[in-house]
Amino acid sequence: MRLSQFHLHTSKETPADAEVISHKLMLKAGMIRKLAAGLYTWSPLGLRVLRKVERVVREEMDAAGAIELLMPAVQPRELWEETGRWEKFGGQLLKIQDRKEAWYCFGPTHEEVITDFARNELSSYKQLPVTWYQIQTKFRDEIRPRFGVMRAREFLMKDAYSFHLSDEDLDRQYRVMYDAYGRIFTRLGLGFRAVFADTGAIGGSASHEFHVLADSGEDAIAFCEGSNYAANVELAEALAPGERPAATEAMRTVDTPTQKTCEDVAALMGVDLARTVKSIALMGQHEPGAPQFVLALVRGDHAVNEIKLSKVPGLADYRLATETEIAGHLGSQPGFLGPVNPKRPIRVVADRSVAAMGDFVIGANVPGQHLAGVNWGRDLPEPDVVADIRNVVAGDASPDGGGTLGIARGIEVGHVFQLGRKYAEAMKCTVLDETGKAAVPAMGCYGIGVSRIVAAAIEQNHDDAGIRWPSAMAPWQAVVCVINPKNDPAVTEAAEALYRDLNAAGVETALDDRGLRPGAMFADIELIGIPHRVVVSGRGLEAGTFEYRRRDAAESENLDRTALFGRIDARLAG
């Protein structure tokens, strides 16, 4: 590709509305242009990168035995009502009407459509197992689209769905797809981790997320360096500590007139934050239609995990208690709450670490006061429920016994689910088994955010000059830059020959023949992240060399033709 004939429109200015580095660099490099909130046009440059990602994804899906199809982006309401998700999916579902006033949605995902396809196409166990996939535009009406294509409303996604007669066969295909995802991200040159994850709104029995590791990642990942254990912090188990110590202090009242947080109370008393307990007042349900006041307790230096808390019996649909409800049950106000001597009966749910504490500090249920030296069984009854309800922190023991946990930031780019029979049962999808009886197939679901991968790769691979693409994702592998202020025909001919020969050797190469000054030309090439830059100039021709610089190298090298081709081939192979 000759850049003089290509649409390359870079900018020196940092966009004011761009928050993360990938958004800034994609706009500066001219890869995307904003149309509306969360909607972007991909320029020819951006599309080249997007297609590189798409090609790797497609090749690995095909190699894993998946079969490509293409489903409609617009989906009828009736399908979503069969699974109960027309209302349950919430505000992210963009609902539209046609001229006949029939309701549709712009698909955020395709479980309903693929299940409808399967129930009409599959009739016998002999057609199973089967895995279908597509690469297609999705739309989710994000309440706050941000970070460019990282959290856009419209995005390109690969979604695959598998159907199986047995759970064992679903397990097998789940592992096949899990391994395929690992190959995809490895081929794309990304640092990533696969982590145990919550199944969320999609549902199902097993789930892994694939995260590109980056400091700007929205998700926290717990991992163990001494083993392969990794999990989303939302799901990572915090193990129970050792036995509870014996009481050594008498319970006493401490005046805390303005200290409402555990941090402020600990500072006032001169004690470690880990000796304090924070109380979160909730309203749950003891049984359907019977609201119940619940006090959830976590250590002062820990954070409540909302997903874990929602899995405690009676708290599936919990909400925060109002100040009126707090006053009615505890006789106090937020900032001074605790389980000692409540005004009315309450349910106490204590994190494992809190249940193992002695001589701790907690609210006294009196404005301006806390209690110190509090102990279970002596000063208050044992908790009604002891459960893991907190986020893990760095230094916690790994659940698999492999050492201690570290915390990293990650950007979710892929997710695999074992859906089980949730959708097939709801939509009455059956096949005849070996005995001739109707059987509901088990399903798997496997998604990759193709457009999000592009942004995630930039978050992980950039410097002050711009993007540093992994080789497999770069718009071109190399660029030949022509420095020819005197319009010397020999320089032009040498650049053209090198450009042709590199492409003939299998190195995807662009020719920068735009006639820019070297500084502006090199700045563009660094900004858009081309891995290899070769400069052809009159001075170089006289010396019989080309100026070569790898994108991540500090200095340029002067190489003859043989050494140049050998260096680029070695870098591409590596």
Side-chain angles (χ1 to χ4, degrees):
M1 174 62 65
R2 299 173 184 273
L3 294 189
S4 62
Q5 300 171 7
F6 185 79
H7 180 78
L8 181 61
H9 187 189
T10 62
S11 171
K12 295 180 180 179
E13 303 300 322
T14 300
D17 63 340
E19 300 175 73
V20 296
I21 193 65
S22 59
H23 192 191
K24 295 176 183 178
L25 290 178
M26 291 181 79
L27 288 170
K28 289 183 69 174
M31 293 179 62
I32 57 172
R33 291 291 181 253
K34 182 178 178 180
L35 177 65
L39 303 177
Y40 291 89
T41 296
W42 288 76
S43 76
L45 179 70
L47 188 61
R48 286 186 70 89
V49 178
L50 196 64
R51 292 291 184 249
K52 295 288 185 71
V53 176
E54 188 177 324
R55 184 179 67 190
V56 171
V57 170
R58 181 173 280 110
E59 287 175 357
E60 289 299 337
M61 286 297 100
D62 292 345
I67 306 166
E68 188 170 9
L69 48 58
L70 184 62
M71 293 177 276
V74 177
Q75 307 176 20
R77 171 180 181 170
E78 291 75 17
L79 287 184
W80 284 71
E81 287 183 330
E82 286 188 59
T83 61
R85 293 207 300 175
W86 182 256
E87 298 298 335
K88 188 176 181 180
F89 206 87
Q92 286 190 332
L93 192 63
L94 179 63
K95 300 174 181 179
I96 52 181
Q97 279 185 296
D98 66 8
R99 67 180 66 195
K100 297 179 181 179
E101 298 187 350
W103 282 99
Y104 296 82
C105 67
F106 196 118
T109 184
H110 276 70
E111 284 81 15
E112 282 81 1
V113 178
I114 196 67
T115 306
D116 178 70
F117 181 75
R119 69 183 173 184
N120 289 299
E121 295 290 319
L122 302 177
S123 58
S124 169
Y125 74 94
K126 295 180 181 179
Q127 296 169 277
L128 301 180
V130 64
T131 302
W132 289 301
Y133 80 96
Q134 65 173 350
I135 299 176
Q136 190 222 47
T137 298
K138 300 284 194 292
F139 189 96
R140 296 181 186 176
D141 199 4
E142 294 276 357
I143 191 170
R144 189 188 167 202
R146 53 186 178 151
F147 306 153
V149 300
M150 190 85 74
R151 191 169 288 281
R153 293 193 294 168
E154 183 179 280
F155 53 94
L156 188 66
M157 180 178 177
K158 186 283 300 179
D159 48 324
Y161 307 90
S162 62
F163 292 81
H164 310 268
L165 192 62
S166 68
D167 293 336
E168 293 75 17
D169 195 60
L170 172 58
D171 289 341
R172 180 199 59 79
Q173 183 63 9
Y174 186 84
R175 174 52 61 178
V176 167
M177 298 301 282
Y178 179 97
D179 291 342
Y181 274 38
R183 291 193 298 273
I184 287 169
F185 299 123
T186 298
R187 284 184 60 185
L188 291 173
L190 300 173
F192 71 96
R193 273 191 178 269
V195 304
F196 296 110
D198 188 74
T199 55
I202 301 295
S205 57
S207 173
H208 284 84
E209 292 174 353
F210 289 78
H211 288 259
V212 168
L213 302 180
D215 292 339
S216 59
E218 289 187 279
D219 296 305
I221 300 166
F223 66 94
C224 179
E225 291 287 4
S227 70
N228 292 325
Y229 179 83
N232 193 304
V233 164
E234 294 175 341
L235 197 66
E237 181 183 7
L239 297 180
E243 294 184 6
R244 181 191 300 166
T248 61
E249 301 177 11
M251 187 172 72
R252 62 192 185 279
T253 300
V254 179
D255 290 329
T256 53
T258 61
Q259 289 75 21
K260 295 184 177 182
T261 67
C262 288
E263 290 82 1
D264 289 344
V265 172
L268 175 71
M269 297 179 60
V271 300
D272 193 311
L273 184 60
R275 287 188 58 191
T276 66
V277 174
K278 66 179 74 171
S279 304
I280 301 96
L282 311 169
M283 292 302 298
Q285 288 194 355
H286 178 63
E287 55 187 37
Q292 184 179 48
F293 187 90
V294 177
L295 208 59
L297 309 179
V298 295
R299 218 168 69 184
D301 58 336
H302 290 160
V304 171
N305 183 308
E306 295 180 2
I307 290 178
K308 292 180 180 180
L309 193 59
S310 68
K311 294 179 180 179
V312 173
L315 294 180
D317 297 308
Y318 76 86
R319 62 171 173 81
L320 294 176
T322 65
E323 291 195 12
T324 299
E325 290 165 336
I326 291 171
H329 286 84
L330 300 178
S332 186
Q333 58 185 255
F336 306 100
L337 308 182
V340 179
N341 297 324
K343 187 176 179 181
R344 291 167 56 186
I346 65 172
R347 184 181 184 215
V348 176
V349 176
D351 182 68
R352 291 169 173 173
S353 59
V354 173
M357 292 175 69
D359 297 334
F360 54 88
V361 178
I362 200 164
N365 286 330
V366 177
Q369 292 185 352
H370 278 73
L371 297 174
V374 179
N375 285 273
W376 296 105
R378 186 192 70 182
D379 306 312
L380 75 168
E382 295 289 339
D384 299 292
V385 177
V386 175
D388 172 22
I389 60 170
R390 70 171 176 92
N391 287 335
V392 296
V393 296
D396 280 344
S398 177
D400 68 350
T404 58
L405 295 177
I407 306 295
R409 306 300 301 181
I411 301 167
E412 183 190 343
V413 291
H415 207 157
V416 293
F417 302 86
Q418 286 192 29
L419 295 177
R421 292 170 173 80
K422 173 182 176 180
Y423 292 93
E425 287 178 346
M427 298 184 68
K428 298 179 174 58
C429 174
T430 62
V431 296
L432 295 180
D433 64 15
E434 297 94 328
T435 66
K437 295 181 179 179
V440 178
M443 291 175 59
C445 172
Y446 321 95
I448 283 181
V450 176
S451 50
R452 180 178 256 214
I453 285 174
V454 176
I458 295 172
E459 292 293 331
Q460 192 179 79
N461 300 276
H462 66 271
D463 58 20
D464 291 342
I467 303 166
R468 290 169 51 173
W469 289 117
S471 181
M473 296 177 63
W476 297 278
Q477 298 298 322
V479 60
V480 173
C481 298
V482 186
I483 306 298
N484 193 12
K486 298 180 180 180
N487 294 317
D488 184 346
V491 174
T492 300
E493 183 180 339
E496 294 271 1
L498 182 61
Y499 164 62
R500 290 193 303 269
D501 292 346
L502 282 169
N503 277 297
V507 180
E508 191 178 25
T509 304
L511 177 66
D512 196 342
D513 57 347
R514 294 176 295 164
L516 299 180
R517 289 180 176 272
M521 184 188 303
F522 297 163
D524 273 357
I525 299 307
E526 289 188 328
L527 175 60
I528 67 176
I530 308 303
H532 306 279
R533 186 187 79 197
V534 184
V535 177
V536 180
S537 66
R539 180 180 300 177
L541 289 184
E542 291 179 4
T545 61
F546 302 101
E547 182 184 296
Y548 167 75
R549 185 173 180 180
R550 199 176 72 246
R551 176 63 182 82
D552 58 356
E555 302 291 340
S556 299
E557 304 174 75
N558 292 314
L559 304 174
D560 62 24
R561 180 185 172 88
T562 301
L564 172 67
F565 275 71
R567 185 66 53 85
I568 292 178
D569 284 344
R571 295 297 181 187
L572 291 177

PDB file of all heavy atoms in Angstrom, residues 67-88:
ATOM      1  N   ILE A  67     -18.523 -23.904  13.185  1.00  0.00           N
ATOM      2  CA  ILE A  67     -19.028 -23.646  11.833  1.00  0.00           C
ATOM      3  C   ILE A  67     -19.608 -22.240  11.799  1.00  0.00           C
ATOM      4  O   ILE A  67     -20.463 -21.884  12.625  1.00  0.00           O
ATOM      5  CB  ILE A  67     -20.113 -24.669  11.450  1.00  0.00           C
ATOM      6  CG1 ILE A  67     -19.583 -26.101  11.630  1.00  0.00           C
ATOM      7  CG2 ILE A  67     -20.586 -24.438  10.022  1.00  0.00           C
ATOM      8  CD1 ILE A  67     -20.679 -27.147  11.590  1.00  0.00           C
ATOM      9  N   GLU A  68     -19.171 -21.446  10.829  1.00  0.00           N
ATOM     10  CA  GLU A  68     -19.608 -20.045  10.780  1.00  0.00           C
ATOM     11  C   GLU A  68     -20.980 -19.907  10.125  1.00  0.00           C
ATOM     12  O   GLU A  68     -21.293 -20.558   9.131  1.00  0.00           O
ATOM     13  CB  GLU A  68     -18.594 -19.185  10.034  1.00  0.00           C
ATOM     14  CG  GLU A  68     -18.900 -17.696  10.113  1.00  0.00           C
ATOM     15  CD  GLU A  68     -17.779 -16.815   9.592  1.00  0.00           C
ATOM     16  OE1 GLU A  68     -16.812 -17.357   9.009  1.00  0.00           O
ATOM     17  OE2 GLU A  68     -17.867 -15.579   9.761  1.00  0.00           O
ATOM     18  N   LEU A  69     -21.801 -19.029  10.710  1.00  0.00           N
ATOM     19  CA  LEU A  69     -23.070 -18.621  10.120  1.00  0.00           C
ATOM     20  C   LEU A  69     -23.227 -17.127  10.390  1.00  0.00           C
ATOM     21  O   LEU A  69     -22.333 -16.495  10.952  1.00  0.00           O
ATOM     22  CB  LEU A  69     -24.248 -19.419  10.693  1.00  0.00           C
ATOM     23  CG  LEU A  69     -24.432 -19.630  12.204  1.00  0.00           C
ATOM     24  CD1 LEU A  69     -24.529 -18.364  13.002  1.00  0.00           C
ATOM     25  CD2 LEU A  69     -25.656 -20.501  12.469  1.00  0.00           C
ATOM     26  N   LEU A  70     -24.339 -16.559  10.014  1.00  0.00           N
ATOM     27  CA  LEU A  70     -24.608 -15.149  10.287  1.00  0.00           C
ATOM     28  C   LEU A  70     -26.080 -14.991  10.614  1.00  0.00           C
ATOM     29  O   LEU A  70     -26.941 -15.342   9.809  1.00  0.00           O
ATOM     30  CB  LEU A  70     -24.236 -14.275   9.090  1.00  0.00           C
ATOM     31  CG  LEU A  70     -24.382 -12.762   9.295  1.00  0.00           C
ATOM     32  CD1 LEU A  70     -23.445 -12.275  10.407  1.00  0.00           C
ATOM     33  CD2 LEU A  70     -24.111 -12.011   8.005  1.00  0.00           C
ATOM     34  N   MET A  71     -26.356 -14.489  11.801  1.00  0.00           N
ATOM     35  CA  MET A  71     -27.727 -14.311  12.272  1.00  0.00           C
ATOM     36  C   MET A  71     -28.138 -12.846  12.189  1.00  0.00           C
ATOM     37  O   MET A  71     -27.286 -11.956  12.180  1.00  0.00           O
ATOM     38  CB  MET A  71     -27.839 -14.818  13.713  1.00  0.00           C
ATOM     39  CG  MET A  71     -27.660 -16.318  13.848  1.00  0.00           C
ATOM     40  SD  MET A  71     -27.699 -16.911  15.570  1.00  0.00           S
ATOM     41  CE  MET A  71     -25.988 -16.640  16.053  1.00  0.00           C
ATOM     42  N   PRO A  72     -29.443 -12.585  12.137  1.00  0.00           N
ATOM     43  CA  PRO A  72     -29.909 -11.193  12.050  1.00  0.00           C
ATOM     44  C   PRO A  72     -29.511 -10.390  13.289  1.00  0.00           C
ATOM     45  O   PRO A  72     -29.518 -10.897  14.413  1.00  0.00           O
ATOM     46  CB  PRO A  72     -31.428 -11.331  11.971  1.00  0.00           C
ATOM     47  CG  PRO A  72     -31.673 -12.726  11.504  1.00  0.00           C
ATOM     48  CD  PRO A  72     -30.555 -13.547  12.076  1.00  0.00           C
ATOM     49  N   ALA A  73     -29.180  -9.127  13.076  1.00  0.00           N
ATOM     50  CA  ALA A  73     -28.895  -8.241  14.204  1.00  0.00           C
ATOM     51  C   ALA A  73     -30.183  -7.803  14.881  1.00  0.00           C
ATOM     52  O   ALA A  73     -30.216  -7.566  16.090  1.00  0.00           O
ATOM     53  CB  ALA A  73     -28.108  -7.022  13.717  1.00  0.00           C
ATOM     54  N   VAL A  74     -31.260  -7.683  14.105  1.00  0.00           N
ATOM     55  CA  VAL A  74     -32.559  -7.274  14.642  1.00  0.00           C
ATOM     56  C   VAL A  74     -33.361  -8.525  14.977  1.00  0.00           C
ATOM     57  O   VAL A  74     -33.537  -9.409  14.128  1.00  0.00           O
ATOM     58  CB  VAL A  74     -33.306  -6.385  13.635  1.00  0.00           C
ATOM     59  CG1 VAL A  74     -34.697  -6.015  14.167  1.00  0.00           C
ATOM     60  CG2 VAL A  74     -32.501  -5.107  13.350  1.00  0.00           C
ATOM     61  N   GLN A  75     -33.871  -8.588  16.215  1.00  0.00           N
ATOM     62  CA  GLN A  75     -34.493  -9.807  16.717  1.00  0.00           C
ATOM     63  C   GLN A  75     -35.916  -9.523  17.215  1.00  0.00           C
ATOM     64  O   GLN A  75     -36.146  -8.501  17.875  1.00  0.00           O
ATOM     65  CB  GLN A  75     -33.668 -10.383  17.871  1.00  0.00           C
ATOM     66  CG  GLN A  75     -32.204 -10.591  17.532  1.00  0.00           C
ATOM     67  CD  GLN A  75     -31.397 -11.072  18.723  1.00  0.00           C
ATOM     68  OE1 GLN A  75     -31.943 -11.597  19.682  1.00  0.00           O
ATOM     69  NE2 GLN A  75     -30.083 -10.891  18.656  1.00  0.00           N
ATOM     70  N   PRO A  76     -36.878 -10.409  16.930  1.00  0.00           N
ATOM     71  CA  PRO A  76     -38.265 -10.174  17.348  1.00  0.00           C
ATOM     72  C   PRO A  76     -38.462 -10.331  18.851  1.00  0.00           C
ATOM     73  O   PRO A  76     -37.826 -11.164  19.500  1.00  0.00           O
ATOM     74  CB  PRO A  76     -39.047 -11.235  16.570  1.00  0.00           C
ATOM     75  CG  PRO A  76     -38.061 -12.312  16.285  1.00  0.00           C
ATOM     76  CD  PRO A  76     -36.738 -11.626  16.113  1.00  0.00           C
ATOM     77  N   ARG A  77     -39.343  -9.532  19.371  1.00  0.00           N
ATOM     78  CA  ARG A  77     -39.662  -9.528  20.807  1.00  0.00           C
ATOM     79  C   ARG A  77     -40.077 -10.911  21.294  1.00  0.00           C
ATOM     80  O   ARG A  77     -39.737 -11.309  22.417  1.00  0.00           O
ATOM     81  CB  ARG A  77     -40.782  -8.511  21.054  1.00  0.00           C
ATOM     82  CG  ARG A  77     -41.377  -8.544  22.454  1.00  0.00           C
ATOM     83  CD  ARG A  77     -42.471  -7.512  22.601  1.00  0.00           C
ATOM     84  NE  ARG A  77     -43.052  -7.505  23.932  1.00  0.00           N
ATOM     85  CZ  ARG A  77     -43.889  -6.566  24.368  1.00  0.00           C
ATOM     86  NH1 ARG A  77     -44.242  -5.579  23.566  1.00  0.00           N
ATOM     87  NH2 ARG A  77     -44.380  -6.619  25.598  1.00  0.00           N
ATOM     88  N   GLU A  78     -40.831 -11.633  20.484  1.00  0.00           N
ATOM     89  CA  GLU A  78     -41.396 -12.912  20.919  1.00  0.00           C
ATOM     90  C   GLU A  78     -40.332 -13.886  21.396  1.00  0.00           C
ATOM     91  O   GLU A  78     -40.532 -14.636  22.365  1.00  0.00           O
ATOM     92  CB  GLU A  78     -42.220 -13.540  19.783  1.00  0.00           C
ATOM     93  CG  GLU A  78     -43.512 -12.813  19.450  1.00  0.00           C
ATOM     94  CD  GLU A  78     -43.292 -11.520  18.663  1.00  0.00           C
ATOM     95  OE1 GLU A  78     -42.174 -11.365  18.102  1.00  0.00           O
ATOM     96  OE2 GLU A  78     -44.219 -10.692  18.605  1.00  0.00           O
ATOM     97  N   LEU A  79     -39.168 -13.904  20.728  1.00  0.00           N
ATOM     98  CA  LEU A  79     -38.102 -14.815  21.150  1.00  0.00           C
ATOM     99  C   LEU A  79     -37.621 -14.467  22.552  1.00  0.00           C
ATOM    100  O   LEU A  79     -37.388 -15.349  23.384  1.00  0.00           O
ATOM    101  CB  LEU A  79     -36.927 -14.757  20.169  1.00  0.00           C
ATOM    102  CG  LEU A  79     -37.104 -15.403  18.795  1.00  0.00           C
ATOM    103  CD1 LEU A  79     -35.799 -15.330  18.024  1.00  0.00           C
ATOM    104  CD2 LEU A  79     -37.555 -16.852  18.929  1.00  0.00           C
ATOM    105  N   TRP A  80     -37.443 -13.184  22.822  1.00  0.00           N
ATOM    106  CA  TRP A  80     -36.943 -12.744  24.123  1.00  0.00           C
ATOM    107  C   TRP A  80     -37.982 -12.949  25.221  1.00  0.00           C
ATOM    108  O   TRP A  80     -37.622 -13.146  26.384  1.00  0.00           O
ATOM    109  CB  TRP A  80     -36.512 -11.283  24.038  1.00  0.00           C
ATOM    110  CG  TRP A  80     -35.201 -11.128  23.344  1.00  0.00           C
ATOM    111  CD1 TRP A  80     -34.939 -11.304  22.010  1.00  0.00           C
ATOM    112  CD2 TRP A  80     -33.943 -10.822  23.952  1.00  0.00           C
ATOM    113  NE1 TRP A  80     -33.613 -11.126  21.751  1.00  0.00           N
ATOM    114  CE2 TRP A  80     -32.974 -10.815  22.915  1.00  0.00           C
ATOM    115  CE3 TRP A  80     -33.546 -10.532  25.249  1.00  0.00           C
ATOM    116  CZ2 TRP A  80     -31.630 -10.540  23.161  1.00  0.00           C
ATOM    117  CZ3 TRP A  80     -32.211 -10.250  25.491  1.00  0.00           C
ATOM    118  CH2 TRP A  80     -31.268 -10.262  24.458  1.00  0.00           C
ATOM    119  N   GLU A  81     -39.253 -12.929  24.860  1.00  0.00           N
ATOM    120  CA  GLU A  81     -40.289 -13.205  25.861  1.00  0.00           C
ATOM    121  C   GLU A  81     -40.312 -14.683  26.235  1.00  0.00           C
ATOM    122  O   GLU A  81     -40.675 -15.043  27.355  1.00  0.00           O
ATOM    123  CB  GLU A  81     -41.645 -12.757  25.337  1.00  0.00           C
ATOM    124  CG  GLU A  81     -41.798 -11.233  25.334  1.00  0.00           C
ATOM    125  CD  GLU A  81     -43.169 -10.788  24.885  1.00  0.00           C
ATOM    126  OE1 GLU A  81     -43.789 -11.516  24.066  1.00  0.00           O
ATOM    127  OE2 GLU A  81     -43.610  -9.709  25.322  1.00  0.00           O
ATOM    128  N   GLU A  82     -39.917 -15.554  25.306  1.00  0.00           N
ATOM    129  CA  GLU A  82     -39.867 -16.986  25.613  1.00  0.00           C
ATOM    130  C   GLU A  82     -38.883 -17.279  26.743  1.00  0.00           C
ATOM    131  O   GLU A  82     -39.100 -18.183  27.548  1.00  0.00           O
ATOM    132  CB  GLU A  82     -39.473 -17.790  24.368  1.00  0.00           C
ATOM    133  CG  GLU A  82     -40.563 -17.914  23.323  1.00  0.00           C
ATOM    134  CD  GLU A  82     -40.170 -18.879  22.222  1.00  0.00           C
ATOM    135  OE1 GLU A  82     -39.913 -20.060  22.539  1.00  0.00           O
ATOM    136  OE2 GLU A  82     -40.106 -18.457  21.045  1.00  0.00           O
ATOM    137  N   THR A  83     -37.796 -16.545  26.794  1.00  0.00           N
ATOM    138  CA  THR A  83     -36.790 -16.762  27.844  1.00  0.00           C
ATOM    139  C   THR A  83     -36.957 -15.809  29.027  1.00  0.00           C
ATOM    140  O   THR A  83     -36.202 -15.895  30.001  1.00  0.00           O
ATOM    141  CB  THR A  83     -35.374 -16.580  27.267  1.00  0.00           C
ATOM    142  OG1 THR A  83     -35.231 -15.236  26.776  1.00  0.00           O
ATOM    143  CG2 THR A  83     -35.109 -17.569  26.150  1.00  0.00           C
ATOM    144  N   GLY A  84     -37.906 -14.890  28.926  1.00  0.00           N
ATOM    145  CA  GLY A  84     -38.135 -13.946  30.020  1.00  0.00           C
ATOM    146  C   GLY A  84     -37.151 -12.790  30.062  1.00  0.00           C
ATOM    147  O   GLY A  84     -37.125 -12.025  31.035  1.00  0.00           O
ATOM    148  N   ARG A  85     -36.377 -12.623  28.992  1.00  0.00           N
ATOM    149  CA  ARG A  85     -35.335 -11.592  29.042  1.00  0.00           C
ATOM    150  C   ARG A  85     -35.757 -10.265  28.411  1.00  0.00           C
ATOM    151  O   ARG A  85     -34.995  -9.302  28.451  1.00  0.00           O
ATOM    152  CB  ARG A  85     -34.054 -12.099  28.369  1.00  0.00           C
ATOM    153  CG  ARG A  85     -33.385 -13.223  29.119  1.00  0.00           C
ATOM    154  CD  ARG A  85     -31.895 -13.269  28.858  1.00  0.00           C
ATOM    155  NE  ARG A  85     -31.543 -13.470  27.464  1.00  0.00           N
ATOM    156  CZ  ARG A  85     -30.284 -13.440  27.012  1.00  0.00           C
ATOM    157  NH1 ARG A  85     -29.277 -13.189  27.834  1.00  0.00           N
ATOM    158  NH2 ARG A  85     -30.027 -13.663  25.733  1.00  0.00           N
ATOM    159  N   TRP A  86     -36.955 -10.188  27.819  1.00  0.00           N
ATOM    160  CA  TRP A  86     -37.403  -8.925  27.226  1.00  0.00           C
ATOM    161  C   TRP A  86     -37.444  -7.819  28.281  1.00  0.00           C
ATOM    162  O   TRP A  86     -37.035  -6.686  28.039  1.00  0.00           O
ATOM    163  CB  TRP A  86     -38.769  -9.090  26.584  1.00  0.00           C
ATOM    164  CG  TRP A  86     -39.283  -7.861  25.900  1.00  0.00           C
ATOM    165  CD1 TRP A  86     -40.245  -7.003  26.347  1.00  0.00           C
ATOM    166  CD2 TRP A  86     -38.858  -7.344  24.620  1.00  0.00           C
ATOM    167  NE1 TRP A  86     -40.446  -5.984  25.441  1.00  0.00           N
ATOM    168  CE2 TRP A  86     -39.609  -6.172  24.371  1.00  0.00           C
ATOM    169  CE3 TRP A  86     -37.926  -7.757  23.679  1.00  0.00           C
ATOM    170  CZ2 TRP A  86     -39.455  -5.408  23.209  1.00  0.00           C
ATOM    171  CZ3 TRP A  86     -37.769  -6.999  22.524  1.00  0.00           C
ATOM    172  CH2 TRP A  86     -38.518  -5.842  22.299  1.00  0.00           C
ATOM    173  N   GLU A  87     -37.891  -8.164  29.482  1.00  0.00           N
ATOM    174  CA  GLU A  87     -37.893  -7.195  30.576  1.00  0.00           C
ATOM    175  C   GLU A  87     -36.642  -7.331  31.440  1.00  0.00           C
ATOM    176  O   GLU A  87     -36.080  -6.350  31.904  1.00  0.00           O
ATOM    177  CB  GLU A  87     -39.142  -7.377  31.444  1.00  0.00           C
ATOM    178  CG  GLU A  87     -40.451  -7.140  30.714  1.00  0.00           C
ATOM    179  CD  GLU A  87     -40.597  -5.715  30.195  1.00  0.00           C
ATOM    180  OE1 GLU A  87     -39.944  -4.808  30.776  1.00  0.00           O
ATOM    181  OE2 GLU A  87     -41.329  -5.509  29.216  1.00  0.00           O
ATOM    182  N   LYS A  88     -36.179  -8.560  31.652  1.00  0.00           N
ATOM    183  CA  LYS A  88     -35.077  -8.806  32.586  1.00  0.00           C
ATOM    184  C   LYS A  88     -33.761  -8.207  32.133  1.00  0.00           C
ATOM    185  O   LYS A  88     -32.938  -7.796  32.956  1.00  0.00           O
ATOM    186  CB  LYS A  88     -34.913 -10.317  32.797  1.00  0.00           C
ATOM    187  CG  LYS A  88     -33.916 -10.691  33.896  1.00  0.00           C
ATOM    188  CD  LYS A  88     -33.875 -12.191  34.111  1.00  0.00           C
ATOM    189  CE  LYS A  88     -32.900 -12.560  35.213  1.00  0.00           C
ATOM    190  NZ  LYS A  88     -32.848 -14.043  35.430  1.00  0.00           N
TER     191      LYS A  88
END
